[in-house]
Amino acid sequence: MALINEHFLKLPNNYLFSDIAKKVNSFKVTHPKERIIRLGIGDVTQPLPPAVITAMHKAVDEMTSKETFHGYGPEQGYSFLIDAIIKNDYASRGIMLEQSEVFVSDGAKSDTGNIGDILRHDNSIGVTDPVYPVYIDSNVMSGRAGVLESGKWSNVVYIPCVAENGFIPDLPSRRVDILYLCYPNNPTGTTLSKEELKKWVNYALANDVLIMYDAAYEAYIQNPETPHSIYEIKGAKKVAIEFRSFSKTAGFTGVRCGYTVVPKELNGFTLEGKRVPLNKLWNRRQCTKFNGASYITQRGAEAIYSPEGKEQVKETINYYMSNAQIMKEGIQKCGLEVYGGDDAPYLWIKAPKGLTSWKFFEKLLYEVYIVGTPGVGFGPSGEGYLRLTAFGDRDDTLEAMARLKKWML
Ligand code: MLT
């Protein structure tokens, strides 16, 4: 008799985006003629940059001959990609990393979910609220989140980020062992200044807190003062793991590639208080459970750092950020309160007339045929908000704004 991991039974039946997909599918069955505009899940719509396609074609061709074929690659990623990452994403900002501090993977979702493997089940967790659901759900699965009581997990400290505090999280009300930060933020689309981020790094240094820093959306930052990496802050290598993704940067949502930085100087502790480098544990975990992202994928990722790749990526990001501006202006003209969208591809909208998140979601779906993501799906402080993504096609984005205007005014 195989006993199950009963922590799974504590989870809601569906992952947030699967739940929404089900609701949208049932709408489609009952309204087959209506054209839905999907601005819910943050999936990209523009094709891969041509430089990536060329590099991947070349890599496929290499697979056709015995001399250039690639079988298993290094679990940590190929050095050609790791070198390009270090040079372009870090050294260019004055951050020095060793090759062995970067772990290429199949994306930030997997890594932010899997990182808990190397940490004890009874660490306490802190999250900014609303929050990307993977951080919470993966901790529930390992038993670390405790039990669900009135919409909150008992072993999780929720740090509200709402309009009233300008979406700037306060230090947690009680001590946490592990803290998740995502900036630019999913779902609110807001950012933290260098000063604010410094506050968190100093807090972590003073309290032995491990920060999980999800920087999946850093490529969308427009403000030159906004930090792209937590390692821009002095001392951060001692307290933070950073996650990055090529999904939103270069349209890899369907290709799957990202990476995680685990600095050598970052330690965890045994129960007896002995320091253990987390880099060593993550390396061990990856070697056992992961066989590396594919060679073809990694050659594609490498190509985004070529001069033409960089240009093409910039163009696509500008395209999405123009969508974000169109949306922000359109939503404001409708008289709605809206946040984010300046340094991130997400717009965080206050539901009108005191509607709940789900009610607003349903009204948009059933009356305007637009799919958003209900804010409360990201946590209790998301109640009364709804998220739209700027990853849509331009024509769809324009039409969505026209529909919204007609509906609201
Ligand atoms: C989102 O919509 O929040 C993201 O697309 C989810 C993800 O990146 O996994």
Side-chain angles (χ1 to χ4, degrees):
M1 184 171 66
L3 299 178
I4 60 158
N5 174 352
E6 293 194 25
H7 297 305
F8 274 69
L9 302 181
K10 300 178 193 164
L11 287 164
N13 269 346
N14 291 313
Y15 179 57
L16 173 63
F17 293 104
S18 320
D19 210 19
I20 291 166
K22 264 172 87 177
K23 286 182 197 291
V24 174
N25 285 341
S26 61
F27 172 84
K28 268 170 60 183
V29 171
T30 49
H31 301 74
K33 293 212 179 88
E34 307 304 348
R35 198 177 80 78
I36 296 170
I37 298 178
R38 293 171 189 271
L39 304 175
I41 191 163
D43 196 4
V44 294
T45 52
Q46 302 308 298
L48 289 169
V52 170
I53 298 287
T54 306
M56 290 175 92
H57 276 302
K58 186 163 168 270
V60 169
D61 288 341
E62 285 180 49
M63 293 301 207
T64 61
S65 118
K66 222 160 60 179
E67 288 69 40
T68 50
F69 170 79
H70 283 79
Y72 289 130
E75 294 90 347
Q76 303 81 356
Y78 284 100
S79 57
F80 60 77
L81 178 55
I82 294 179
D83 285 343
I85 289 168
I86 292 176
K87 180 170 165 226
N88 292 282
D89 291 345
Y90 292 98
S92 63
R93 298 186 188 282
I95 301 160
M96 297 307 150
L97 291 176
E98 289 175 30
Q99 272 219 352
S100 53
E101 295 181 300
V102 178
F103 297 84
V104 175
S105 71
D106 63 350
K109 181 178 183 177
S110 321
D111 284 357
T112 52
N114 290 330
I115 196 75
D117 277 11
I118 64 169
L119 298 160
R120 256 180 80 102
H121 68 280
D122 49 2
N123 283 295
S124 58
I125 306 295
V127 294
T128 55
D129 173 30
V131 63
Y132 180 41
V134 172
Y135 313 151
I136 296 276
D137 286 6
S138 58
N139 279 297
V140 174
M141 289 171 183
S142 64
R144 211 175 280 124
V147 289
L148 190 60
E149 288 161 349
S150 335
K152 290 188 176 178
W153 295 92
S154 57
N155 202 25
V156 175
V157 175
Y158 292 78
I159 307 166
C161 291
V162 286
E164 289 71 25
N165 63 7
F167 300 94
I168 306 289
D170 281 333
L171 293 173
S173 50
R174 63 181 156 98
R175 208 199 148 273
V176 296
D177 298 306
I178 302 167
L179 175 82
Y180 288 83
L181 294 178
C182 172
Y183 287 98
N185 186 255
N186 179 14
T188 63
T190 56
T191 53
L192 277 194
S193 69
K194 217 169 218 165
E195 272 315 299
E196 283 298 331
L197 192 53
K198 201 190 269 179
K199 177 183 90 181
W200 286 99
V201 170
N202 288 342
Y203 168 77
L205 284 164
N207 294 280
D208 280 328
V209 177
L210 171 62
I211 299 179
M212 304 290 187
Y213 194 74
D214 186 349
Y217 299 92
E218 64 78 32
Y220 288 83
I221 293 172
Q222 310 289 307
N223 180 347
E225 300 302 318
T226 303
H228 286 245
S229 164
I230 194 164
Y231 305 125
E232 288 176 46
I233 311 296
K234 196 161 162 257
K237 280 191 190 170
K238 288 190 168 60
V239 291
I241 292 176
E242 180 162 291
F243 304 91
R244 295 269 186 115
S245 165
F246 295 108
S247 288
K248 313 298 158 74
T249 304
F252 274 51
T253 51
V255 178
R256 307 308 310 150
C257 196
Y259 65 88
T260 290
V261 178
V262 189
K264 289 266 181 67
E265 53 199 278
L266 175 63
N267 291 306
F269 298 87
T270 64
L271 213 48
E272 291 74 36
K274 187 176 153 230
R275 287 173 185 269
V276 178
L278 292 180
N279 179 287
K280 205 168 135 190
L281 299 192
W282 185 242
N283 187 47
R284 187 69 180 82
R285 189 264 173 213
Q286 291 297 82
C287 290
T288 302
K289 291 196 179 180
F290 186 58
N291 256 336
S294 80
Y295 174 72
I296 300 164
T297 297
Q298 293 190 60
R299 279 294 183 201
E302 181 197 19
I304 73 162
Y305 297 110
S306 66
E308 41 313 346
K310 280 183 189 170
E311 262 321 296
Q312 293 158 4
V313 162
K314 204 157 97 193
E315 233 174 80
T316 312
I317 287 176
N318 288 344
Y319 177 93
Y320 291 133
M321 288 312 284
S322 300
N323 280 352
Q325 284 316 299
I326 291 168
M327 292 168 79
K328 198 158 183 174
E329 279 168 33
I331 295 162
Q332 278 166 343
K333 277 195 188 134
C334 292
L336 292 170
E337 253 176 74
V338 57
Y339 305 92
D342 296 325
D343 289 298
Y346 292 126
L347 286 299
W348 189 242
I349 307 168
K350 183 95 184 129
K353 300 177 195 139
L355 292 177
T356 64
S357 294
W358 277 110
K359 200 77 207 150
F360 189 31
F361 165 86
E362 277 161 20
K363 276 186 161 296
L364 278 188
L365 177 60
Y366 278 81
E367 295 172 24
V368 203
Y369 317 134
I370 293 174
V371 182
T373 307
V376 72
F378 296 101
S381 295
E383 181 55 287
Y385 289 91
L386 179 126
R387 191 193 76 176
L388 292 183
T389 92
F391 287 124
D393 202 66
R394 176 64 46 79
D395 288 345
D396 280 352
T397 303
L398 288 167
E399 187 177 334
M401 290 306 105
R403 287 187 195 174
L404 194 66
K405 196 166 156 200
K406 199 164 155 213
W407 181 68
M408 284 291 299
L409 303 177

